[in-house]
Amino acid sequence: MAAERGRTFLSRSPLATRALGAALGRAVPPGTVIALDGDLGTGKTCLVQGLAAGLGVSDPVTSPTYALLQSYSGRLDLHHFDAYMEGRERALLLDGGLEWMHEGGVAAVEWAGRVREVLPRPLLWILLEHAGATDRRLALSIEGEGEDAARLGEIVRDLEPPPGLEEAS
């Protein structure tokens, strides 16, 4: 993967993880799909809360595990999807649920590894991992090709790490 298509950060706090999400929310264009994967407690929902803030969403954002999908209005709409319960989520995606991912808003999919093969490309993949008691490693990469993928790669490359976040190897 080319350097401009991926970066890894170390987050020292939930506040820093939210700040990264907010920076992404301010930068991503309409139609962006953000796939989040990682174990429980790695900060997926925390990052989406920041993403929502960056998109101008004022409503509280919670995990949509049992609702499947929650949508929020902002400068760009946020469609927050949870694929934790793989079977019904896969059915929803394959039965037309992918349409909302390109309706001009931003789609964030938690537990994306469970439905990876049905997600549209290009997308911004974020793998979140425990890196200590409170630290998290966040690996951002672009999946897909073409102009939209290149644009996402530029956004990731140009992202200024917020306080509490540092570049990791």
Side-chain angles (χ1 to χ4, degrees), residues 39-57:
D39 291 335
L40 284 170
T42 53
K44 294 179 294 294
T45 300
C46 183
L47 191 136
V48 174
Q49 290 167 339
L51 179 67
L55 292 170
V57 171

Side-chain angles (χ1 to χ4, degrees), residues 45-120:
T45 300
C46 183
L47 191 136
V48 174
Q49 290 167 339
L51 179 67
L55 292 170
V57 171
S58 58
D59 294 329
V61 173
T62 59
S63 178
T65 299
Y66 298 104
L68 292 179
L69 169 69
Q70 294 174 345
S71 292
Y72 304 92
S73 295
R75 176 182 53 78
L76 295 176
D77 290 344
L78 171 63
H79 306 289
H80 187 193
F81 184 78
D82 191 305
Y84 183 74
M85 296 180 195
E86 180 181 1
R88 67 184 182 153
E89 283 73 4
R90 185 180 306 274
L92 174 69
L93 288 169
L94 293 174
D95 289 339
L98 291 172
E99 294 173 12
W100 52 262
M101 289 192 179
H102 291 294
E103 290 184 352
V106 172
V109 182
E110 292 192 38
W111 297 98
R114 295 173 182 256
V115 292
R116 187 177 204 145
E117 69 278 357
V118 298
L119 292 175

Side-chain angles (χ1 to χ4, degrees), residues 101-160:
M101 289 192 179
H102 291 294
E103 290 184 352
V106 172
V109 182
E110 292 192 38
W111 297 98
R114 295 173 182 256
V115 292
R116 187 177 204 145
E117 69 278 357
V118 298
L119 292 175
R121 304 301 192 273
L123 58 78
L124 171 56
W125 186 270
I126 304 177
L127 177 62
L128 298 98
E129 300 174 305
H130 292 282
T134 58
D135 295 352
R136 302 293 183 264
R137 183 177 311 279
L138 294 87
L140 286 67
S141 60
I142 308 305
E143 290 190 6
E145 300 299 327
E147 289 180 28
D148 291 340
R151 173 75 177 115
L152 285 175
E154 291 170 6
I155 289 168
V156 168
R157 181 196 65 211
D158 296 341
L159 197 62
E160 285 293 325

